[in-house]
Amino acid sequence: MTSTTSSTVDRAFRAALYAETDTALDTGASLLAADPAADAELARRGREFVATAWRRGWQPADVVRLVRRELDDVHVRLAAELIRAQAPDDGPRGPRWSAQLDELTAEAAETAEATAASPRTDRFSHATTVLELYRLLLRLPTLEPLAEPTRRPDPGSASGPASESRMLTRIRALLAKAEATGFPDEAEALSAKAQELMARHSIDEALLAARAPSPDAPGACRIGVEAPYEQAKAVLLDAVATANHCRAVWNEPLGFSTVVGFEADLEAVELLYTSLLVQATTAMTRAETAQRAGGRKRTKTFRQSFLAAYAHRIGTRLAAAAETQVTDDLLPVLASREVAVTAHTDRMFPETTTTRLRGVSDEAGWTEGAQAADRAQVGARPRLP
């Protein structure tokens, strides 16, 4: 790097990163486009922005999610490239972080062929894209850090890593079938079986902790709550989290909820929330088709009311289903974990507020949503031995 290339990048940044106008962006992009020797320094600065985001509590999936929401696909691809390029310089991370990097690599492989066939971007356009992305990264707020919980080594246990992996694979398969089937009764049965396995998995973890005290502690993960109708989706996620012994805190401006809980329960929440959201969307589309056949046009209030009712009813059903898995001898174990999760949540979020759902005024939407939740309900089952 020479002082000249560094000066070019500095001047471009001063012109573009701290102003909102298109003129400022054009000025910075023109400087970068005219100096190809500055490309390496520009990329290095990008990796620094990524490293700064990590120090502010962000994770790879968080950054990509925000970039996708605020900018365009070309910015998402550039952000993913920077994240992967910065990874070798990063310190040790947990399995959830590694999984996010693996997902970025897989997505890059899927889009490589399509982007290779697209016309090559001129230097000015590319520089504009870079500056728009860097301007967003520069302004990322500080988030609550997410420490992944440590897992105790227990190679001789039936609930060790290999068994856990098989369990989660089976749960994913059941939920995928529930999403794909066009038969409500089958979807209900598959979802019920998946929730039963989740409950068993969670209680197995709790019993192991009770028999052999370990350094395991609650952790946290962030789950995207995307527009539109994000309020109702946040309520659905909260219901799923509560039923699986977790707590969810919604960050509306940044479009995600932070879910706090033990690792096995966090896995269950991610799986079930995604599945129920897919099933809700499918059912809502089907209900709208019937509404239009009856002469009614699709409305935003119908969808909002549908999802709100769905979330409310699912919360009731999941809570009832979770109770069937708990025997009296398990109550002290689960209570101690509940205390730990609540304490961890309070440390991360000492100040929270409650939010009331808006736009829930469509009676037909509410009725259809509640009925869809009944079809996706988790039915009663025998208590665990």
Side-chain angles (χ1 to χ4, degrees), residues 6 22 76-77 189 296 307 365 384:
S6 179
D22 291 338
V76 174
R77 290 194 294 271
R296 173 177 172 167
L307 289 174
L384 289 174

Side-chain angles (χ1 to χ4, degrees), residues 188-266:
E188 176 185 339
L190 292 167
S191 297
K193 182 61 177 177
Q195 177 60 28
E196 179 181 353
L197 292 178
M198 289 174 183
R200 288 179 180 273
H201 186 43
S202 175
I203 289 173
D204 284 345
E205 290 279 323
L207 289 174
L208 280 172
R211 290 198 298 263
S214 71
D216 280 9
C221 68
R222 298 189 187 102
I223 298 177
V225 180
E226 309 291 352
Y229 318 112
E230 56 269 35
Q231 274 197 324
K233 293 174 183 177
V235 172
L236 176 61
L237 177 53
D238 182 76
V240 174
T242 301
N244 287 280
H245 318 297
C246 296
R247 295 276 300 276
V249 179
W250 183 34
N251 186 320
E252 183 175 7
L254 295 179
F256 63 76
S257 284
T258 302
V259 182
V260 182
F262 287 85
E263 185 63 22
D265 299 329
L266 295 178

